[in-house]
Amino acid sequence: MSLVLTGVPVLVVDGPEAEVAAELLREQGAVPVGWGDVATRIGLVRIPAGTQKTAADEALAWAHRNGIPVDDRRPREEAQEQTQDATTSASMSSAGEVILVGGGPGDPELITVAGAKALAEADVILTDHLGPVDLAEDAAARGAELIDVAKIPYSRQVAQERINELMVERAKEGKKVVRLKGGDPFIFGRGYEEIEACAAAGITVRVIPGVTSMTAGPAAAGISLTHRGLNHDLTLVSGHVPPHSPKSLVDWTALAGMTGTLVLIMAVKNAGAIAGELIDKGRDAATPAVVVENASMPGQRVTSATLATLGETIEREGLGHPAVIVVGDAAGHIAELG
Ligand code: SAH
């Protein structure tokens, strides 16, 4: 289990190993908190007034209510005896957590085993419209709360804040919250922002990687992103901002100078402009460019073009979102798949 502990308060329970626990937590950037004599003895940040005189079970209940993880190293029998009600719900694993799950490109079989398990155990699932939405619906059918965050009626920025709030609120209620993402959470998925929001609220976060559309799309189409003797580099670029926009963070000149495989995502709308820019900056206009629409899903369509014809092909064929575009000599080899 990977925990992001930077800046996160963690309750240290008094006992022979409390000092070691506090030291280890500080090394990981966490803020050890505690109560009573132990707080004075090893310099813990005191938990809020009203709980100063607390016994272990009160402190644990406080931690649970606030979604604060607990480092409890007391011998097992002692811990159980003292804190029968509170501890069970306040231990690290059951205090409520958020799991960012990469759901893969859409085919429900392309989620990882760990991802499927997290969905099966989730109390709450936040999903949008890419990835294996059916799996989220299955989980809802067995009683999990399903929140379709694509339906949050705000601007993108505000919607993201609302998503963060919802995850934190539910986790603080002690729930197991799955944030289901299309592909992999760390590829144009705002996964890191969501982790930061959880960490700021003291919520434990795990990440389960996913099969990204960057690789699954070409694979489903029979395109190998690397070919021995053909290319030694592979670049992923988001095309959601066109080349001449002041918002573009891409070095288009450098990109045009590369000879290997280029994968474009979120690029259907700007594909013509992107191809034009690459050609202007020196990439061969005859370079193969293949559009894989709805990869791994019913209705998958694979359409071949070149850089010179990419824009007009997309328009003529009416290709749309979601699609991965593969540019490069590797895209000139499409295997027949069964
Ligand atoms: N985190 C995701 C990407 C999110 S950005 C991942 O790792 O796959 C959204 C873009 O991903 C879409 O605009 C499209 O370019 C691509 N995409 C996602 N699912 C896709 C699919 N099934 N087929 C083709 N492209 C897909």
Side-chain angles (χ1 to χ4, degrees), residues 307-325:
L307 268 188
T309 62
L310 181 63
E312 69 196 47
T313 305
I314 288 173
E315 211 159 292
R316 187 183 64 236
E317 303 293 329
L319 303 178
H321 174 84
V324 175
I325 303 172

Side-chain angles (χ1 to χ4, degrees), residues 104-107 130-131 181-189 210-214 217 264-268 292-297 321-325:
D107 178 341
L130 285 176
K181 303 264 182 189
D184 182 272
F186 283 168
I187 295 200
F188 297 116
V211 177
T212 175
S213 61
M214 173 198 187
L264 297 165
I265 65 174
M266 291 189 276
V268 174
V292 188
E293 188 191 42
N294 285 318
S296 85
M297 299 197 285
H321 174 84
V324 175
I325 303 172

Side-chain angles (χ1 to χ4, degrees), residues 130-304:
L130 285 176
V133 180
D134 291 356
L135 292 180
E137 277 159 14
D138 291 350
R142 59 135 185 94
E145 180 190 9
L146 182 60
I147 305 175
D148 181 348
V149 300
K151 291 206 182 124
I152 295 176
Y154 296 111
S155 72
R156 240 175 101 76
Q157 194 51 43
V158 180
Q160 185 60 53
E161 278 165 27
R162 185 68 193 126
I163 294 170
N164 297 349
E165 265 172 30
L166 282 165
M167 287 189 313
V168 167
E169 274 169 20
R170 297 296 194 278
K172 281 195 169 171
E173 289 165 10
K175 292 184 173 148
K176 188 162 188 164
V177 180
V178 163
R179 173 70 176 107
L180 182 64
K181 303 264 182 189
D184 182 272
F186 283 168
I187 295 200
F188 297 116
R190 305 188 74 158
Y192 197 84
E193 291 162 61
E194 292 177 2
I195 289 180
E196 281 183 317
C198 291
I203 305 290
T204 302
V205 186
R206 282 196 285 148
V207 176
I208 298 177
V211 177
T212 175
S213 61
M214 173 198 187
T215 55
I223 297 170
S224 171
L225 290 172
T226 63
H227 262 271
R228 203 142 74 93
L230 215 56
N231 68 307
H232 286 173
D233 58 275
L234 168 61
T235 310
L236 173 66
V237 170
S238 164
H240 78 287
V241 170
H244 292 287
S245 162
K247 286 194 187 151
S248 175
L249 300 177
V250 177
D251 181 342
W252 294 98
T253 309
L255 196 61
M258 302 192 70
T259 52
T261 308
L262 165 64
V263 177
L264 297 165
I265 65 174
M266 291 189 276
V268 174
K269 198 168 92 210
N270 295 320
I274 290 169
E277 178 74 1
L278 293 174
I279 295 168
D280 283 353
K281 296 270 164 65
R283 189 126 193 196
D284 186 346
T287 308
V290 175
V291 183
V292 188
E293 188 191 42
N294 285 318
S296 85
M297 299 197 285
Q300 171 176 307
R301 256 204 296 180
V302 180
T303 310
S304 294

